[in-house]
Amino acid sequence: MRVMRCFLFALLLAVGFPAVSGHAHAAGPEAEPAALFEKAHAAYVAADYATAEHVYRTLIAQGHATSEVWYNLGNTLFHAGRLGEAILHYRRAWLLAPRDADSLANLNLAAQRTGATLPEPGWWSRYAHEASASEWRIILLTGYWILLAAALLAVIAPGFRRFARPVILAALFTIVLGAAGWSYWHAWLRQPEAVVLHGEQTARYEPRTSATPYFSLPEGSIVRIEDTFDAWMKVAAGGKSGWIERSAIEPVYPWQPGGMR
Amino acid sequence: MQVAIENLRRWLTTLAVAFAAFSATAQQVMLDVQPRTMRLNETAVMKLSFVDVPMPQAPALPEIPGFQVHFVGQETQFQMINGRQQHRLSYNFRLQPLATGQFRLGPFTLTVNGQNFDLEPVMVEVLPPANAAGGDGQATIDELVFARLNLPRTELYLQERFDVELSLYYRGVQLDRTIQLQNLPSTGLNLDEFQELGGSRENINGELYDVRRFRMRATAMTAGTFTLDPMVRVHVLVRREQSRDPFGFDAFFGRYEAQPLVVPAEPLAVNIRPLPADGRPGNFSGAVGQFTMDLQVQPTEVTVGDPITLTVTITGRGNLETIAMPAIELGDDFRRYDPKLIASGPQQKVFEQVVLPRTDQLSAVPPVTFTYFDPQQAAYQTIVRGPFPLLVKTGGATQPHLFQTPTVASSSIRQPLGIDIIGPKRAPESWTPVIEPGRATAWPSPLHLAPVAALMVALAVQRRRDALDRDVSRRRRALAPRSARAAIREAEAALAASDPHAFYAALWRAFADYTAHRANLEAGEVSPELILRTFAPALPTGDRDELGVLLAVCDETRFAARSSDHPDAARLKRHLQRTQEWLRAFERISVSCV
C-alpha cells in the first residue's frame, strides 16, 4: 500500500507538472498583474491607446504573456491603426488559445482591412488547432502516466488485471492522440510564422535590394520563414517563396531571439 | 384575407419599433412558410428569422382572419462563418387554415435600428380536405407515385453544359430516403452525380403531392440524338400484414418493410448538334457557354525588364474546366513566363501571366482575346480586353509596383465579416506563469521516468517472487537469515532477563533454524554435528573449536535442569556476539561446497 500511495502521489505530481514546468518568467505578487491589466483596460476604454499598449507590454515583459494580454494588445494596436502589429498579436493569442474564436475573428477582420492573405489550414492543421501545444502535451503525458500506472497495478495487484486491458488501450489511444497534436506544433515551431508589420513589402528573387521583385505582401500578411541570410529572410506565402528584409517582419512565436517587441 | 394581411403588416411594423430599441447591428430578417400548399385540415409553420439581430422578446401575433395562429417556440442557432460568429434567432408559429384559397403574405418592409429589410411575399395555397376532394381510395400506384424529367432545352450543342432535373411525386404512400437512378445513357452525355435540391408540395389536379427534386449537371459529349429514359428506384414502406414470429420478436425489427418500386419517367429525346463551322474564329479553343472576361494589368509604369502581371478572370456558366489562358499576341518585344491558373471555382477561373518588356519602345500591352460559343445565341462570341497603355522607362532604379495576387483564399476572407472587432477580454482568473510552448519538451523532467523505474522494480520483485514459489529450496535459503534473526532477538530478550536457559535455547534455535533452511531439512534433523560438518570446514581453525564448544554448551544447557546460580553476563554477551558473527559468516559459505 505504501508503494501505491507513493505512485499515486508521483502521478498527481507529474500530471500537474507540465503546468508549472518549462520556461516561465518569475511571477510577481498576485495583485500586481491584475492591477496592471485593469489599468491597461481602463486606458483602452478611455481610448488612451498609447498607455494601454505600454501597460500590456509591461505585463508581457514581466512574464504574464497570456492569450488575453496578447489579444487585448492586438485590439489596442488595431484601434491605433497599426494593423500589421495587431495581426501579429492576434496570432500570438491564437497560438496560446487556438480555440478562441474572438482572436480568429479579429484577425480575419484586420487582415480584411489590409488585404492580407491568411494561410488556409488543411484537415490535419484543423485537427491540431483544436488544442494548444501545451494542452496536447498534457494529453500525451496523461496517457503516458495512465498507461504506466495501469501496467504497474496489473503487476502488483493481480485483481486489477482483468480491467487493465481496456485502460491500457484507452491510454495508448490518448498517447497517440496527444503525440499527433503535439508533433504538429513541434513541426510548426521548426518552421515558424512571421507577420509583415508595416506597409506593403516586396519579396524578391534574391536576398539583395537590387534583385528582381517577385511578389508583394500587404501589411499583416502571415508568412512562413524558410531561410535566413544576413539581414534577409526567405518567406513563403500563397505558394511563392521570396526574400524580404528581416526588419520588415516579426516572428509570431514571441520567445525566440528577436521575437519579442 | 386582405384584412389579415393588413393586420400582419401592422404587427410587423410594431415589432420593428420594438427592435429599434436594441443597438446591435441587424444583418438579415427572413419570413418563410412551410409547406406552402396544404389541405384545410393540415397546418403549416411560419418562421420569422433574425440573423445577427439582438435578442428580441417573444413576439405576440395579432388575429389573422382565415388562419388560427399559435406560437410554437423559438430556435437559436450559432454558426461560424469565415471565423465570425453568426447568431440566428427564429420564432415559429403554427398556421391553421380556416378557409380554402390562395393567400399572399407580403411583401413586407421591416425596419430594425433604422435599417429596412424587404421580406419577400409568400404564397400559401389551401385546398379542401382529402375526402372532400374526392378521395384517393381507387387510385393506382402510377397515380400515387410518378416521376417527371425536365430539361431547359432539347436542342443542345456539343460541349454544352446543362441541368437535368428530375422530380419525384408521391402521395398516400411512405417512401424511405434511399433512391437510385437507373437506365441513364452511358454514351453521348457525361452526367455528374445527382444531388437532391429539397422537398416541396404541389397541387396536381386537385391532389396534393409531396415532391422530391434532383438535379444532375450534364455535358453533351457526342453529336447525335439521345433518349433520356431514366428509371427511379424507390422503396415504399409497407406495414407488415402479420407477425411471422409466433413469439412476436418481429416487433423488435420494425413493423414496416421496404418494398422496391421502379418508377419510370416520361422519356425525353435530346438532339446534340455539332458546333457550327461557319463563322468559327481562328482562336476558338472549345469554350461553350456564357462567359465574361476581366483583365487587370499592373503595373503600367515599369522599367525595361520589370515584371508586368496580367490577371485574367473568366466568369460564367459552361465547360469552364476546359478553358485555358486566352490568347495574347505579345510578339518579340516581351519576354513571357508560362501562364498559371491561380484560382478555380465552379463558375470562375483566374489566370496569371507575367511578361517583361524587352525594350522601352513599347507603348501598350496588346489586347487579350477570348472566344466562346454561346448555345443560347447559337453564335460565336469574342471578348477583347485591351490594349492597355504602358510606360516603359530605360534603366534607373524605379521601384516596381506589384499587386497582390488574387487567390481563392483571399477572396474568401474578403467577404464581409462585421463592422468592428470583438471587444477586449477580461483578466485571466489566475496569473500563473505562461508555459513557453516551444521550450517545453515532451519529457521535461526525470520525474517522468519514475513510473518506468517503479514498473521495472515491480517486475523484478514479481519475478523473484515467482522464482521462489517455484523453487522450495531457494525459498528456504532466502528465509534462513530471517529465521535466525528472530531467534537472535529471543536470545537478546533472554539475556536482558538474565535467563541463561532460555538464552542458550534461543541460540540453538538460531543455529538449528538457519541450518535447516540452508540445507532444506526439517528442524528436528539438525544436530550440532551436522552444523559443524556443514559450516565449520570453512571457518578458521580457532573458530571451529569455539563453535563446537558453544554448540556443546547450548546442548548441555538446553537439557540440563534450570540453575539458580547467578549467570555470567559477560560470557553470555560474548556467546551472543560470536553467534551473530558466525551466522554472518555462514551466509558467505556455500552449502554445496561442504
Side-chain angles (χ1 to χ4, degrees):
Chain A
M1 287 307 292
R2 188 187 299 168
V3 174
M4 283 288 297
R5 277 199 297 272
C6 289
F7 185 79
L8 288 174
F9 175 73
L11 174 66
L12 290 172
L13 193 63
V15 171
F17 186 78
V20 296
S21 67
H23 176 74
H25 298 273
E30 184 74 10
E32 189 183 345
L36 281 175
F37 192 93
E38 289 307 318
K39 182 182 174 186
H41 182 73
Y44 175 89
V45 172
D48 183 3
Y49 299 125
T51 302
E53 180 193 351
H54 173 72
V55 180
Y56 281 132
R57 288 190 189 277
T58 303
L59 271 170
I60 291 166
Q62 288 181 356
H64 302 295
T66 64
S67 68
E68 291 87 353
V69 173
W70 289 122
Y71 172 90
N72 285 1
L73 178 57
N75 272 11
T76 305
L77 294 166
F78 183 95
H79 284 300
R82 291 150 64 185
L83 297 182
E85 291 179 74
I87 288 172
L88 172 74
H89 293 108
Y90 287 140
R91 196 67 169 172
R92 285 174 174 172
W94 169 85
L95 178 66
L96 293 179
R99 290 187 303 280
D100 180 29
D102 292 351
S103 58
L104 211 54
N106 286 2
L107 175 68
N108 279 331
L109 181 62
Q112 183 192 7
R113 293 274 173 91
T114 63
T117 56
L118 297 179
E120 284 283 318
W123 67 269
W124 175 243
S125 305
R126 282 198 295 275
Y127 160 75
H129 294 172
E130 289 298 316
S132 67
S134 305
E135 289 167 338
W136 283 123
R137 189 166 147 272
I138 289 172
I139 290 170
L140 171 63
L141 289 176
T142 304
Y144 166 76
W145 276 86
I146 290 173
L147 174 71
L148 289 172
L152 188 60
L153 280 173
V155 170
I156 64 178
F160 180 74
R161 283 178 192 169
R162 57 185 169 149
F163 307 110
R165 181 176 291 186
V167 173
I168 286 173
L169 285 176
L172 283 171
F173 179 73
T174 308
I175 288 172
V176 170
L177 205 69
W182 189 81
S183 63
Y184 167 85
W185 285 108
H186 197 66
W188 190 93
L189 293 168
R190 277 206 304 272
Q191 198 188 32
E193 288 182 344
V195 174
V196 175
L197 287 184
H198 307 293
E200 184 172 296
Q201 301 294 328
T202 301
R204 299 173 186 278
Y205 281 97
E206 293 176 85
R208 52 188 170 84
T209 49
S210 59
T212 306
Y214 184 18
F215 59 94
S216 70
L217 290 165
E219 179 179 351
S221 294
I222 296 177
V223 299
R224 282 265 178 199
I225 300 172
E226 291 187 334
D227 199 0
T228 56
F229 180 78
D230 288 344
W232 292 81
M233 278 188 169
K234 189 177 186 184
V235 298
K240 297 176 179 176
S241 294
W243 292 89
I244 191 168
E245 284 183 275
R246 191 190 291 245
S247 59
I249 59 175
E250 180 165 338
V252 171
Y253 186 60
W255 288 278
Q256 62 195 34
M260 186 84 78
R261 287 189 190 179
Chain B
M1 191 46 60
Q2 195 62 31
V3 177
I5 294 171
E6 283 302 316
N7 281 344
L8 192 56
R9 192 194 300 272
R10 276 202 297 276
W11 166 75
L12 287 172
T13 308
T14 307
L15 196 61
V17 172
F19 289 162
F22 296 92
S23 58
T25 56
Q27 297 288 323
Q28 214 174 355
V29 181
M30 291 170 288
L31 179 68
D32 189 23
V33 178
Q34 288 297 339
R36 299 184 182 189
T37 305
M38 59 186 155
R39 295 199 179 278
L40 192 59
N41 54 358
E42 296 176 338
T43 60
V45 174
M46 183 173 79
K47 178 175 286 194
L48 191 61
S49 302
F50 300 88
V51 179
D52 284 350
V53 172
M55 186 74 76
Q57 292 180 349
L61 284 178
E63 284 286 326
I64 302 178
F67 286 98
Q68 278 185 357
V69 183
H70 302 281
F71 177 65
V72 179
Q74 68 182 52
E75 303 166 15
T76 305
Q77 217 178 355
F78 290 94
Q79 261 186 315
M80 289 299 296
I81 298 175
N82 288 336
R84 180 180 176 276
Q85 198 176 53
Q86 186 190 71
H87 173 244
R88 176 191 288 256
L89 176 67
S90 301
Y91 291 106
N92 295 333
F93 301 89
R94 189 170 65 238
L95 295 181
Q96 174 74 55
L98 302 176
T100 59
Q102 294 261 0
F103 303 104
R104 187 168 187 259
L105 306 181
F108 304 109
T109 299
L110 182 65
T111 305
V112 179
N113 288 341
Q115 194 175 357
N116 291 331
F117 295 93
D118 294 325
L119 303 183
E120 293 293 323
V122 176
M123 294 300 299
V124 178
E125 183 180 15
V126 181
L127 302 172
N131 290 339
D136 52 8
Q138 304 301 318
T140 64
I141 191 67
D142 294 345
E143 293 171 336
L144 296 177
V145 186
F146 61 91
R148 286 180 179 173
L149 201 58
N150 186 30
L151 267 70
R153 289 177 291 115
T154 54
E155 292 291 326
L156 301 165
Y157 281 95
L158 200 60
Q159 285 296 321
E160 182 175 349
R161 295 274 285 169
F162 60 99
D163 288 340
V164 179
E165 273 194 18
L166 180 79
S167 304
L168 178 68
Y169 295 79
Y170 60 97
R171 69 177 173 89
V173 294
Q174 283 183 279
L175 303 181
D176 69 1
R177 299 302 298 174
T178 57
I179 185 169
Q180 290 174 296
L181 282 187
Q182 300 174 335
N183 204 31
L184 294 170
S186 56
T187 58
L189 298 175
N190 184 19
L191 297 165
D192 294 347
E193 289 289 316
F194 70 87
Q195 57 182 148
E196 186 158 3
L197 299 177
S200 64
R201 300 178 94 186
E202 274 190 30
N203 173 19
I204 298 177
N205 299 328
E207 297 293 348
L208 196 56
Y209 283 86
D210 290 307
V211 187
R212 289 174 68 185
R213 298 185 192 283
F214 304 89
R215 184 177 65 191
M216 282 177 291
R217 296 281 287 160
T219 308
M221 304 299 290
T222 314
T225 301
F226 300 92
T227 301
L228 287 171
D229 185 16
M231 302 282 191
V232 185
R233 183 184 168 92
V234 297
H235 291 90
V236 180
L237 297 176
V238 180
R239 182 184 286 272
R240 294 183 198 276
E241 289 188 357
Q242 61 179 26
S243 173
R244 290 170 300 188
D245 186 340
F247 301 101
F249 288 119
D250 280 3
F252 288 106
F253 304 103
R255 288 179 296 177
Y256 289 90
E257 59 184 348
Q259 292 187 349
L261 174 68
V262 176
V263 183
E266 195 174 338
L268 269 180
V270 180
N271 184 29
I272 300 174
R273 292 180 288 187
L275 298 179
D278 293 342
R280 181 183 297 179
N283 62 353
F284 174 68
S285 60
V288 177
Q290 291 86 38
F291 302 101
T292 59
M293 182 177 70
D294 179 56
L295 175 61
Q296 288 184 349
V297 177
Q298 287 189 1
T300 53
E301 291 185 21
V302 293
T303 307
V304 172
D306 282 351
I308 302 169
T309 307
L310 281 62
T311 306
V312 178
T313 305
I314 295 176
T315 309
R317 290 171 60 85
N319 58 346
L320 205 62
E321 65 278 1
T322 64
I323 294 176
M325 173 76 184
I328 176 169
E329 292 295 332
L330 290 170
D332 293 333
D333 292 336
F334 287 94
R335 179 183 166 198
R336 70 164 76 189
Y337 290 100
D338 289 337
K340 284 199 292 188
L341 176 67
I342 58 170
S344 180
Q347 295 193 3
Q348 192 179 65
K349 261 187 169 179
V350 182
F351 299 94
E352 180 186 89
Q353 176 146 33
V354 176
V355 299
L356 292 82
R358 294 178 190 272
T359 170
D360 61 351
Q361 302 301 310
L362 293 166
S363 60
V365 175
V368 176
T369 307
F370 174 61
T371 298
Y372 65 94
F373 180 77
D374 185 346
Q376 290 187 358
Q377 304 284 335
Y380 292 97
Q381 308 287 341
T382 298
I383 305 174
V384 180
R385 296 283 180 265
F388 294 88
L390 184 66
L391 177 61
V392 183
K393 300 173 186 170
T394 54
T398 55
Q399 185 71 14
H401 304 285
L402 301 182
F403 70 99
Q404 182 63 27
T405 302
T407 63
V408 176
S410 66
S411 64
S412 66
I413 64 162
R414 283 173 185 168
Q415 297 297 317
L417 292 166
I419 57 169
D420 204 352
I421 54 173
I422 299 169
K425 289 189 181 297
R426 292 174 179 274
E429 290 181 1
S430 63
W431 290 92
T432 52
V434 176
I435 304 170
E436 179 184 341
R439 182 75 65 89
T441 63
W443 318 109
S445 163
L447 184 61
H448 293 297
L449 296 176
V452 177
L455 183 62
M456 290 172 69
V457 168
L459 283 171
V461 169
Q462 184 67 30
R463 192 174 171 184
R464 176 179 164 78
R465 193 176 295 165
D466 290 346
L468 292 178
D469 285 345
R470 284 193 301 272
D471 188 343
V472 175
S473 62
R474 197 172 162 193
R475 185 172 73 234
R476 292 198 68 188
R477 168 68 180 85
L479 286 173
R482 196 184 304 169
S483 62
R485 278 197 296 273
I488 290 291
R489 280 196 294 276
E490 288 176 19
E492 287 170 341
L495 177 63
S498 300
D499 183 354
H501 192 269
F503 174 78
Y504 284 111
L507 284 193
W508 168 249
R509 272 200 305 280
F511 284 114
D513 288 351
Y514 181 84
T515 307
H517 282 305
R518 287 294 305 271
N520 194 18
L521 299 169
E522 292 299 321
E525 296 178 86
V526 178
S527 62
E529 291 74 24
L530 177 68
I531 296 170
L532 289 171
R533 199 168 60 242
T534 305
F535 298 109
L539 296 175
T541 310
D543 283 6
R544 279 183 222 162
D545 299 338
E546 196 177 349
L547 175 62
V549 171
L550 176 60
L551 289 174
V553 171
C554 288
D555 228 14
E556 285 171 11
T557 311
R558 279 195 305 142
F559 298 109
R562 288 183 179 270
S563 166
S564 58
D565 293 346
H566 189 71
D568 183 354
R571 184 166 174 261
L572 296 183
K573 275 184 188 173
R574 173 169 171 72
H575 280 166
L576 177 63
Q577 184 186 350
R578 294 296 288 160
T579 299
Q580 288 171 321
E581 289 170 3
W582 283 323
L583 285 172
R584 279 195 290 271
F586 289 175
E587 276 292 285
R588 296 189 292 271
I589 298 172
S590 172
V591 171
S592 61
C593 76
V594 177

